[in-house]
Amino acid sequence: MSSTKEDSGSVHSYESSDSECLAADSMDDLLPPSRIYAGRKGEKEDKDLDAMLEIEMDDEAVAKKSSQQSKKNKNGGCCSCKKVGNVIVWNQTLYRKYKLGVVGPHWPGLIFTIGLLYFASYYFTMKAYEDIGITSAVICIWLTIQSTVALFSVACRDPSIVMDSVKISEFFGHDYQTQGEYSGLDNHTQGEEEGWRYCGACEVYQPPNAAHCPDCNVCVDGYDHHCPWMGQCIGKNNFRSFMFFNITWLTYLLYACAWVASIGPNTVNK
């Protein structure tokens, strides 16, 4: 009787051993190499090896991602857009060299302004050519060109977006130089002593004359106002262009209404 019990116990032991082996084999693909090795050899798990393998894999992934991002930033042109807040940098080459190549969130307003300018210009140019002469028409064309250049100089120029070196490297690469324009933003203590305010939305310290624009969702140095006709903010970098545009189109309007529409035709007919 005892022999029978021993035989049944040994059979049960063999079956459980076989099932454990099958379970262990099925888990081999899910375990790291060190654990498989330790389980088969009956040794202690090599946690240091697992950690080293994970660190190496993470380092390789980070290096690969950094290399791709650096190459993308270096080769970024008109087809490689970056978004700073709600402002789109559609040409990184122009932005790096001249602080141009941006468009604000209210770009439909810019399109409407361009359409209004050219519609009025076409009307007054044709009227000047037919009722007064070619000289008045040429003046209308010249004022249209001046207004267009000033308009795009405002709408496509960086209004002076405040970014620290970390964000600049993130958006435009480590080789992009700001010429120390906002170097104080990296020193929070210095910024607070000079009266700079911290913006939680942009995570930067604002210069004394800066303000956060909720429409563009950026901090702008020398902030004047957000202009929907230009599609973006008016700040330190594009304020002069904005004033030049206003002077140009007001001069054009005065010339068109006073000379082309009233005085000019009556003078020529006499």
Side-chain angles (χ1 to χ4, degrees), residues 184 187-198 205-206:
N187 190 338
H188 294 176
T189 303
Q190 178 184 353
E192 290 177 349
E193 291 176 352
E194 295 178 357
W196 293 15
R197 302 174 303 276
Y198 183 75
Y205 275 82
Q206 301 173 352

Side-chain angles (χ1 to χ4, degrees), residues 17-57:
S17 177
D18 292 338
S19 62
E20 290 176 359
C21 290
L22 290 174
D25 291 337
S26 64
M27 292 294 291
D28 283 350
D29 296 335
L30 302 177
L31 295 174
S34 64
R35 293 187 180 179
I36 298 172
Y37 179 83
R40 289 179 177 177
K41 297 297 183 178
E43 297 180 356
K44 191 168 58 177
E45 294 181 355
D46 191 356
K47 296 183 179 180
D48 294 338
L49 179 58
D50 292 341
M52 291 175 62
L53 290 173
E54 292 177 0
I55 291 172
E56 289 179 358
M57 293 174 65

